Amino acid sequence: MSTFTVVNPANEEAIAEVELADVDATDAAIAKAQTAFDEWRKVAPGDRARLLRRFADAVDGAIDELAALEVANAGHTISNATWEAGNVRDVIEYFAAMPERLFGRQIPVDGGVNITFAEPLGVVGVIVPWNFPMPIASWGFAPALAAGNTVVLKPAEITPLTAIRIGELAREAGIPEGVLTIIPGKGSVVGERFVTHPAVRKIVFTGSTEVGKRIMAGCAAQVKNLTLELGGKNSNIVFDDADIAAAAAAAPGGVFDNSGQDCCSRSRLLVQRGIYDEFMAALEESVGDFAAADPTLPDTAMGPLVTAAHRDKVASYVAAGEVAFRGTAPEGPGFWFPPTVLTPASTSTADFTEEIFGPVLSVVPFDTEADALRIANDTEYGLSGSIWTNSLDRAMRVSRGVEAGNLSVNSHASVRYWTPFGGFKQSGLGRELGPDAVASFTEVKNVFFATRPGE
């Protein structure tokens, strides 16, 4: 096996060496998960729920440890990382309520009784991105385990540390060996083997639309189940009847949180022309208050980007754009990039149409409600977005009109573990979280019992 050197993006110091699995190691992990599935699916629903609650308790006891790992490994701020670790706990606890609630149905038929069962799929391969290593891992493995599946999980090559520790916590909580296996490795090796191995009956992938398309094509060869959460180029629409001060104060958090490394980032800001100048003046002040700084400090708003290569990619968009104003970021070691606001001359520029995945906001004016919807929907993506207005009628019309799976009115909150999450168009396939997520980890089996045999 080869190894990977994990680097702290805030100071560029090496913090760990992680072994990367090859194809043989991946096959061995899948075989172990397949063996474990035979027993895990037979665990009584109440007992499976109890084990998941113990798992949630183990994560709860390690919140500070997991948060510190994420700060060091991914450059997340300590406040964000603490929330993310708590989200893992909450997601596991939420889905711990599902094993006893995997209900079937009794359907009226002639000549007998017809019932349905929710049967687990088998081994589920979860492929996790580097931008939110902890929460997104749990969004995949928690409902899968609750439904009676076993999971092999590949963290992103550059951010594996919290996933490895979560896997250890599962074993410490009593989750049997092979039920949740963490396999660090390259996507081209481990992830590809998840797609091609016939024992893996579902893939859960979060990442770029480009890679998601390749995974989808690979899964077609075996008609393999699939959940995809892919890219986003999301709009924050501010109408002239909105609370301008509140909208301007909230805008930086909607795009720059996690240094803009978020599929839900509201990286396109649409402002109605009549309030454009007033809004931009307020936005410049709020961006100035949203500084990148040491992520270990509790009041830091934004940390570094994840790698030097990603920083260079983000910088290329700014170099080609029209900079209106910028915030601040540290100098010296670390993959730092200041929050930046662009004012493109049209809605066809690269910064306005492509997912930058960094702390870059592009602002354009619009005239009418129809104009705002046209601009917002002129994208291959459809993940999230925000609408700022004090008109309930307008909020309803525009929220129905925007082609996206997760919208917020007078807010940027996109994700709650008890509500569905997923995208339209090329932003994904299927839904994670919420009461229906566990259904995507089961097959419906229909059984007819004849009450008059032979008829």
Side-chain angles (χ1 to χ4, degrees), residues 65-290:
E65 176 191 2
L66 290 168
L69 273 177
E70 205 70 292
V71 171
N73 191 175
H76 292 194
T77 64
I78 186 61
S79 58
N80 278 9
T82 301
W83 180 91
E84 290 156 18
N87 183 255
V88 175
R89 172 203 59 212
D90 294 342
V91 168
I92 298 171
E93 192 164 276
Y94 177 81
F95 285 107
M98 295 299 178
E100 298 118 322
R101 294 165 177 80
L102 287 173
F103 303 130
R105 291 174 294 172
Q106 185 272 317
I107 302 173
V109 294
D110 292 332
V113 176
N114 199 95
I115 61 176
T116 65
F117 299 93
E119 301 279 6
L121 302 171
V123 179
V124 175
V126 178
I127 303 172
V128 179
W130 51 258
N131 61 321
F132 288 107
M134 282 194 286
I136 293 176
S138 69
W139 299 0
F141 72 67
L145 297 180
N149 304 280
T150 55
V151 173
V152 286
L153 184 147
K154 190 199 86 64
E157 187 178 353
I158 59 176
T159 55
L161 300 186
T162 47
I164 292 170
R165 182 62 185 127
I166 288 169
E168 294 169 350
L169 292 169
R171 293 288 291 120
E172 292 170 14
I175 302 292
E177 186 176 1
V179 171
L180 174 61
T181 304
I182 311 301
I183 317 175
K186 295 181 178 179
S188 59
V189 177
V190 178
E192 177 65 20
R193 191 59 181 136
F194 286 179
V195 173
T196 61
H197 198 298
V200 178
R201 294 312 312 150
K202 174 165 182 166
I203 300 292
V204 179
F205 172 78
T206 301
S208 72
T209 297
E210 178 186 3
V211 175
K213 289 178 180 179
R214 294 203 299 268
I215 289 174
M216 190 173 184
C219 287
Q222 297 173 19
V223 195
K224 190 170 295 193
N225 286 273
L226 188 64
T227 295
L228 298 173
E229 198 276 280
L230 306 176
K233 191 65 178 176
N234 313 291
S235 293
N236 177 18
I237 307 172
V238 182
F239 287 97
D240 58 9
D241 63 347
D243 183 330
I244 296 175
V255 63
F256 302 140
D257 187 58
N258 200 35
S259 304
Q261 299 167 134
D262 183 352
C263 300
C264 290
S265 171
R266 277 70 166 164
S267 58
R268 303 196 300 174
L269 178 56
L270 284 55
V271 182
Q272 199 152 21
R273 198 176 301 275
I275 61 168
Y276 183 85
D277 291 340
E278 180 184 356
F279 184 90
M280 289 298 283
L283 178 64
E284 183 171 9
E285 183 176 344
S286 61
V287 169
D289 293 335
F290 204 95

Side-chain angles (χ1 to χ4, degrees), residues 353-386:
T353 58
E354 298 177 17
E355 186 178 33
I356 299 174
F357 224 60
V360 180
L361 175 63
S362 300
V363 189
V364 298
F366 69 89
D367 292 305
T368 65
E369 189 175 304
D371 193 26
L373 284 172
R374 177 186 58 80
I375 297 170
N377 290 335
D378 186 19
T379 172
E380 64 188 17
Y381 300 113
L383 185 57
S384 68
S386 295

